[in-house]
Amino acid sequence: MLPELETEHLLLRAYERKDAPRAKRLAGDKDVAETNFLPHPYTLEMAEGWISSHPDLIEKGETYPFAIILKGEDQLVGTMTLRVDKLHNKGELAYWIGKDYWNNGYATEAAQLVIDFGFKEQKLNRIWAPVMSKNKASAKLMQKVGLTYEGTLKQDIIRWDEYQDVDIFGLLKEDYFGRKPSV
């Protein structure tokens, strides 16, 4: 079962079927896909299939996809996911935020909650995140929530027929528990 996590502005909860059309609209924006690992175009069928896969992934403890809901409006604004590698006791942080909600601090708030969940509830040793090198806002976000730059995977992915570099950010449990939050 996916717990609900809250900040002053946000509720992070499990996705519901009703979220599919909005997820399709937000994640389907080319500007969102441009700097993330989302397929484009992103169809309603893709959103529905992705959401329907969640209960099994959560039950197996493999993936925790949180819907980021703006309090007061009860609106989906994005996703913050933790993919758990049980063999190596680490988690991959992945997210997207709808373009209309960029630069409001929502990704920072949500990332901090999910990092806390990963270290405190899942007892992970490491949380890492891949960020497309051209996505300077995501790189800044990762550093703001305590992840440090570890290196660049040169021409790691192909997006729209172009090779793209991917920066890797990470945080160890010992550093997480030894640091003061900057958020």
Side-chain angles (χ1 to χ4, degrees):
M1 180 163 199
L2 194 68
E4 287 190 349
L5 309 175
E6 287 188 59
T7 69
E8 180 183 346
H9 305 106
L10 304 173
L11 170 67
L12 274 62
R13 63 158 170 79
Y15 267 86
E16 299 170 3
R17 267 190 108 99
K18 70 176 184 170
D19 296 321
R22 187 145 168 93
K24 179 250 182 224
R25 187 175 74 72
L26 296 173
D29 185 306
K30 189 165 184 182
D31 288 338
V32 173
E34 179 84 28
T35 55
N36 284 283
F37 301 94
L38 294 165
H40 186 77
Y42 191 73
T43 66
L44 181 59
E45 292 75 23
M46 293 167 120
E48 290 171 340
W50 177 65
I51 291 169
S52 70
S53 74
H54 292 180
D56 187 49
L57 294 169
I58 294 166
E59 185 177 321
K60 290 178 180 175
E62 295 175 356
T63 302
Y64 299 94
F66 289 93
I68 304 172
I69 306 298
L70 188 58
K71 284 182 174 177
E73 295 183 27
D74 194 29
Q75 286 287 335
L76 176 72
V77 299
T79 297
M80 190 64 63
T81 299
L82 184 66
R83 296 182 189 110
V84 174
D85 175 343
K86 292 180 184 181
L87 179 63
H88 300 291
N89 196 32
K90 64 182 179 178
E92 176 189 355
L93 190 65
Y95 80 98
W96 57 263
I97 299 291
K99 186 177 178 181
D100 293 345
Y101 301 95
W102 289 358
N103 301 312
N104 287 298
Y106 300 144
T108 303
E109 285 185 44
Q112 192 61 65
L113 281 178
V114 174
I115 290 167
D116 293 346
F117 170 77
F119 285 123
K120 293 177 180 176
E121 305 301 320
Q122 298 301 306
K123 311 287 189 227
L124 297 174
N125 182 59
R126 169 177 159 74
I127 293 177
W128 70 283
V131 174
M132 291 176 68
S133 297
K134 67 182 181 179
N135 190 342
K136 302 303 181 198
S138 280
K140 184 177 176 183
L141 164 75
M142 290 302 133
Q143 293 171 325
K144 191 171 184 180
V145 297
L147 280 73
T148 57
Y149 171 78
E150 296 180 340
T152 298
L153 304 174
K154 296 291 189 182
Q155 298 185 10
D156 190 54
I157 62 170
I158 297 176
R159 297 293 285 169
W160 293 289
D161 298 323
E162 269 187 49
Y163 287 100
Q164 299 287 324
D165 295 347
V166 175
D167 294 338
I168 303 300
F169 293 83
L171 177 62
L172 297 176
K173 172 178 64 178
E174 62 197 41
D175 295 326
Y176 168 82
F177 284 107
R179 75 178 175 97
K180 291 183 179 161
S182 63
V183 179

